[in-house]
Amino acid sequence: MKKYIQWLAKKVNNSGNFNNFIEELYKKFIELRDSISLEGIHGRIIETIAHLQIGIDMFCEFIWDFAKQSSREIMTMHRTSVTELKRLAETQVKIMMSSDPAEIFTSAIKTLLDTKEFRTEKTNQDLTISEIRGLNETIIGYFDDDYYYFIFEKAFSEVSEFCRKQGEKSHF
């Protein structure tokens, strides 16, 4: 670690001053951040990936200067590290999406409707909740040409029970 800090201090000095060094890192950060495209990923995760990739880049540069490994070995190490970083980020997105309460709720509603355990009723008129409830006990809402409308208590109760039966913790 001591050698790395000394190496880093030398890089700062070679850049002219600390502010120049930080400015160079910031430009690299923006470039990396803007090049990362992962569907459904939160901006903070993208920024974290960019920061970690800068760390990987600097570590590989440090190894090049001190360990005197071949450029092929360092390039392989860099490529492997960046690939693994991207894989971990994609895994994180999947974990986040699978624990998103809105995603869990809508997925459960879709499953309940697909399996015909519950249904929605087509309507072209405004119905009161009492009128909807009176239509059929398997109805959890209705829809028109534009939207679905769920009876909150009924939909919430059925989704919670569905999650319980699936062995999933209800997050809402």
Side-chain angles (χ1 to χ4, degrees):
M1 185 71 167
K2 180 180 174 183
K3 282 191 177 207
Y4 179 75
I5 299 298
Q6 290 170 338
W7 174 83
L8 195 55
K10 186 176 178 183
K11 278 190 73 70
V12 170
N13 289 336
N14 289 344
S15 69
N17 67 36
F18 183 73
N19 290 335
N20 289 347
F21 180 72
I22 295 301
E23 191 174 310
E24 288 173 27
L25 286 178
Y26 184 72
K27 285 178 185 175
K28 186 169 189 167
F29 164 76
I30 297 297
E31 179 185 309
L32 289 169
R33 183 196 65 190
D34 293 348
S35 72
I36 298 169
S37 62
L38 293 169
E39 183 91 15
I41 195 166
H42 192 279
R44 283 181 285 194
I45 292 177
I46 291 173
E47 289 179 352
T48 300
I49 293 166
H51 281 118
L52 289 170
Q53 189 166 339
I54 288 171
I56 290 168
D57 294 350
M58 291 185 74
F59 178 70
C60 289
E61 191 177 334
F62 168 73
I63 290 173
W64 172 256
D65 288 349
F66 276 94
K68 302 299 180 199
Q69 290 182 318
S70 73
S71 60
R72 172 178 265 161
E73 289 174 308
I74 293 173
M75 287 172 48
T76 300
M77 182 188 319
H78 183 268
R79 187 174 37 256
T80 301
S81 298
V82 170
T83 300
E84 185 62 15
L85 183 60
K86 185 173 181 179
R87 187 192 67 75
L88 289 171
E90 290 168 346
T91 300
Q92 182 67 27
V93 168
K94 289 177 187 170
I95 290 168
M96 288 173 59
M97 292 299 286
S98 70
S99 63
D100 176 24
E103 192 69 32
I104 293 168
F105 188 83
T106 54
S107 177
I109 288 284
K110 182 178 180 336
T111 301
L112 288 169
L113 294 173
D114 287 349
T115 60
K116 310 272 191 263
E117 284 189 52
F118 293 92
R119 62 189 183 92
T120 54
E121 188 71 31
K122 171 83 168 138
T123 185
N124 291 323
Q125 59 185 350
D126 290 330
L127 298 175
T128 66
I129 290 177
S130 298
E131 291 171 323
I132 295 168
R133 285 185 177 138
L135 293 173
N136 187 313
E137 68 180 44
T138 64
I139 293 177
I140 59 174
Y142 65 98
F143 63 96
D144 59 22
D145 292 333
D146 299 313
Y147 301 104
Y148 278 83
Y149 306 89
F150 292 101
I151 304 167
F152 176 76
E153 298 88 1
K154 180 77 171 162
F156 179 82
S157 172
E158 296 306 329
V159 167
S160 295
E161 180 63 15
F162 174 79
C163 289
R164 187 191 65 74
K165 286 179 182 176
Q166 297 294 316
E168 298 175 15
K169 182 180 178 210
S170 176
H171 298 277
F172 24 85

